[in-house]
Amino acid sequence: MKILALDVGQKRIGVATCDKLEIAATPYSVVKAGKTAIDEVVKILEKEEVEYIVIGLPVSFDGKERESCERARFFKNELEKKTNLPIEFVDEKFTSKIAENSLIEAGMRRENRKNVIDAVAASIILRGFLDQRRIQKELRKEN
């Protein structure tokens, strides 16, 4: 199934997709947050023939939802007005930090990192979601 993941931020929205076999989670693009963001994401959904959407929900360690969670929930609500695709929230703890560290390790300069970090974070969100789906499928087979 073709799945798209979103890392919704205040300034940018990271986008990642996977192949139909759900093997590779790949950074796709970064969409500027704002009035046209929903329409930009809808264009990507159509172009990539996406069947399912996951959105990172940045719940804090104490379990409280702060402003960033409100932003993700608002984005989901607005996106639901434009598409009938199923949308699910997934935990996104540490994804931006992991993305930044991986880009630093790869030798990417700071000024270049800000252009891709959100898409890389979205791919990490998607990779975690795909791993979870695979494990759940395997557990169902065993039972």
Side-chain angles (χ1 to χ4, degrees):
M1 173 186 318
K2 187 80 178 225
I3 303 170
L4 179 126
L6 299 170
D7 180 31
V8 179
Q10 189 170 359
K11 295 180 181 178
R12 293 174 299 278
I13 299 161
V15 182
T17 59
C18 71
D19 57 294
K20 288 192 180 267
L21 296 176
E22 301 181 18
I23 295 170
T26 308
Y28 183 84
S29 69
V30 175
V31 172
K32 184 178 179 189
K35 295 178 183 178
T36 62
I38 295 291
D39 291 333
E40 292 294 319
V41 170
V42 169
K43 287 178 189 175
I44 295 168
L45 295 172
E46 292 168 355
K47 178 182 176 191
E48 295 300 315
E49 300 176 353
V50 170
E51 302 168 72
Y52 200 88
I53 304 166
V54 295
I55 298 176
L57 189 65
V59 178
S60 63
F61 287 115
D62 61 7
K64 292 183 181 172
E65 292 191 12
R66 296 195 167 73
E67 182 182 335
S68 54
C69 288
E70 289 177 26
R71 188 172 26 261
R73 290 191 183 283
F74 177 81
F75 197 87
K76 178 183 184 268
N77 290 338
E78 294 302 305
L79 191 55
E80 286 176 329
K81 295 175 185 176
K82 302 274 185 154
T83 182
N84 292 323
L85 294 174
I87 305 173
E88 180 178 339
F89 284 118
V90 296
D91 183 18
E92 69 153 276
K93 282 183 187 69
F94 298 121
T95 56
S96 292
K97 193 66 177 164
I98 293 167
E100 182 178 28
N101 288 342
S102 68
L103 293 171
I104 289 170
E105 279 187 36
M108 185 175 281
R109 297 174 56 87
R110 177 177 292 178
E111 59 271 13
N112 295 333
R113 285 196 305 264
K114 78 174 193 172
N115 297 326
V116 298
I117 192 166
D118 299 296
V120 173
S123 71
I124 293 168
I125 291 167
L126 184 52
R127 176 78 266 149
F129 178 77
L130 294 175
D131 289 345
Q132 182 180 5
R133 278 174 60 94
R134 182 183 44 79
I135 290 167
Q136 288 173 345
K137 285 178 186 178
E138 289 173 6
L139 288 174
R140 283 193 295 267
K141 286 179 186 177
E142 290 176 6
N143 292 329

